[in-house]
Amino acid sequence: MNILYEDQEVLVAEKPVGMESQSAKSFEPDMVSEIKKHINKVSPNSGEPYVGVIHRLDKPVGGVMVYAKTKNSAESLSKQVSGHQMEKIYHAVVCGKPVENSGTYVDYLWKDGKNNCSKIVEKGIKGAKPAELDFRVVDKTQQNGEEYSLLEIKLKTGRHHQIRVQMAGHGTPLWGDQKYNPSFQQKKIRADIALFATSLSFVHPVTKKKMTYTVKPKGQMFDLFSL
């Protein structure tokens, strides 16, 4: 866990690929337990640390996250999320190329909790929620006769598996996505999904200063591009 910033109110860290962003039922490490260990190590006599989960990243996705260290900060940051004031930028490698070099996708997603997946559905479907993102093609390349595009994606809403579902639904599924990319659903090989949360901006709950943290996307497919 790479800590990018910390004070009495917030902690910004880079979540590793393959780690849960909140407390997990398994015995594997998760971000909340790792942050609590860190706080206990730095301040061993402060009692049980408070770690507020503000937003989430899928287990196979790494990148920048912010956690609250007080309830007041958690409330402030959560309001920024619900008010779409927290800016989240991702990089992704998709199979193929979008029709346009930049654009906006607006869809309605329905979460299938039983199978842990989401689907693009019609607006009137019960439980369907609007999902919106902006994208732009940063670069493209070919490998073994296949075309791949590097996208910068700005999330406007935060739905379950949103980027993965919308990109697949619009004909450019993410490389390595065994849940939504048909090319990888039959493969037994382990492949890190080519999606990374590269930048996060928010207003500090106390100082009211805008804070932005950026990390370089990591993963085997990102190495094909100059970043």
Side-chain angles (χ1 to χ4, degrees):
M1 184 179 66
N2 175 25
I3 296 175
L4 305 173
Y5 176 83
E6 182 181 12
D7 61 19
Q8 296 297 315
E9 301 295 328
V10 300
L11 184 145
V12 182
E14 178 187 343
K15 182 185 92 66
V17 170
M19 184 181 285
E20 296 282 4
S21 56
Q22 57 187 344
S23 298
K25 294 178 182 178
S26 68
F27 292 104
E28 296 179 11
D30 63 81
M31 286 294 287
V32 172
S33 61
E34 292 300 303
I35 291 171
K36 286 184 177 181
K37 283 183 196 175
H38 162 75
I39 296 173
N40 279 327
K41 189 175 180 180
V42 175
S43 307
N45 299 318
S46 60
E48 176 67 17
Y50 176 86
V51 179
V53 178
I54 308 303
H55 59 122
R56 295 164 181 80
L57 290 177
D58 296 342
K59 184 177 180 180
V61 179
V64 188
M65 298 191 71
V66 60
Y67 289 84
K69 294 174 67 177
T70 67
K71 290 184 178 180
N72 285 340
S73 289
E75 184 179 352
S76 172
L77 291 170
S78 295
K79 284 181 179 178
Q80 291 181 48
V81 172
S82 60
H84 308 300
Q85 296 165 312
M86 188 174 286
E87 186 177 90
K88 306 171 190 174
I89 296 176
Y90 295 73
H91 278 78
V93 178
V94 299
C95 299
K97 181 186 177 299
V99 177
E100 303 291 339
N101 284 325
S102 63
T104 300
Y105 289 155
V106 181
D107 299 291
Y108 280 81
L109 302 188
W110 176 77
K111 181 180 177 181
D112 180 353
K114 184 178 180 181
N115 296 304
N116 189 32
C117 66
S118 290
K119 301 173 183 177
I120 295 178
V121 296
E122 296 295 327
K123 181 178 179 180
I125 298 294
K126 184 179 179 181
K129 295 181 179 180
E132 184 175 354
L133 59 78
D134 294 334
F135 72 89
R136 71 179 182 92
V137 178
V138 178
D139 199 0
K140 53 187 176 180
T141 189
Q142 286 195 348
Q143 188 181 53
N144 300 323
E146 300 290 337
E147 185 176 29
Y148 301 103
S149 302
L150 175 67
L151 306 185
E152 181 185 274
I153 298 168
K154 183 177 179 182
L155 269 187
K156 292 187 172 181
T157 54
R159 306 303 179 200
H160 179 253
H161 293 174
Q162 180 178 339
I163 293 175
R164 299 163 65 183
V165 178
Q166 287 192 278
M167 286 298 147
H170 289 271
T172 52
L174 270 62
W175 188 93
D177 193 343
Q178 293 181 312
K179 190 176 285 285
Y180 298 104
N181 188 338
S183 298
F184 284 85
Q185 286 172 347
Q186 306 302 323
K187 295 183 180 181
K188 301 296 183 183
I189 59 169
R190 184 187 181 280
D192 289 335
I193 184 170
L195 178 63
F196 201 86
T198 50
S199 180
L200 181 70
S201 298
F202 61 92
V203 175
H204 192 282
V206 175
T207 67
K208 304 306 177 185
K209 177 184 176 183
K210 185 175 181 180
M211 308 178 78
T212 300
Y213 294 92
T214 304
V215 293
K216 187 177 178 181
K218 297 176 178 65
Q220 56 203 96
M221 284 302 285
F222 290 111
D223 294 337
L224 293 178
F225 301 92
S226 298
L227 290 164

